[in-house]
């Protein structure tokens, strides 16, 4: 992480302390439940939920950035199984999210 990004995050955390307004500096998003593994300790791959399409994901990312988020990580089952994952990463990067 670049020094400027660290200072921005630190500033947001300090602003939160003084104003009481909460800012999601970092977000972890379970982007999908799709997974090619069948681990005994995990049942995520068994969940069948409707996932947001690319346009919906981009709108959510826009909102996350507008809320003050600096970093996002994608998790779930395996987000690489989404056919639009490269587009999602490109959009997040274009917003300045690391």
């Amino acid at each position: 992480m670049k020094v400027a990004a660290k200072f921005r995050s630190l500033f947001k955390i300090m602003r939160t302390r003084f104003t009481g307004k909460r800012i999601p500096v970092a977000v972890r998003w379970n982007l999908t439940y799709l997974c090619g593994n069948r681990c005994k300790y995990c049942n995520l791959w068994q969940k069948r939920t409707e996932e947001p399409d690319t346009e919906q994901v981009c709108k959510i990312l826009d909102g996350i950035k507008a809320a003050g988020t600096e970093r996002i990580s994608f998790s779930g089952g395996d987000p690489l199984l989404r056919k639009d994952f490269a587009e999602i990463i490109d959009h997040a990067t274009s917003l300045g999210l690391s």
Side-chain angles (χ1 to χ4, degrees):
M1 179 185 261
K2 295 181 182 177
V3 174
K6 287 183 182 182
F7 278 115
R8 278 194 308 273
S9 294
L10 179 62
F11 175 74
K12 287 179 181 182
I13 291 168
M14 291 180 66
R15 185 173 63 183
T16 298
R17 294 277 184 199
F18 293 116
T19 64
K21 180 182 176 192
R22 300 190 69 172
I23 300 169
V25 176
V27 171
R28 182 174 183 184
W29 183 0
N30 284 345
L31 193 58
T32 184
Y33 289 116
L34 295 174
C35 185
N37 298 318
R38 301 296 181 257
C39 302
K40 291 182 180 184
Y41 59 85
C42 177
N43 66 349
L44 275 178
W45 57 274
Q46 293 175 329
K47 294 183 179 186
R48 297 291 172 223
T49 61
E50 192 170 322
E51 296 177 356
D53 62 24
T54 309
E55 184 178 333
Q56 291 170 325
V57 170
C58 290
K59 285 181 182 178
I60 293 169
L61 288 173
D62 292 342
I64 288 171
K65 180 61 180 181
T69 301
E70 295 289 328
R71 294 178 302 246
I72 188 161
S73 61
F74 297 108
S75 187
D78 184 356
L80 294 173
L81 293 177
R82 282 189 64 127
K83 293 183 181 354
D84 60 352
F85 190 63
E87 290 177 60
I88 292 168
I89 294 296
D90 287 343
H91 187 71
T93 303
S94 74
L95 295 173
L97 294 168
S98 64

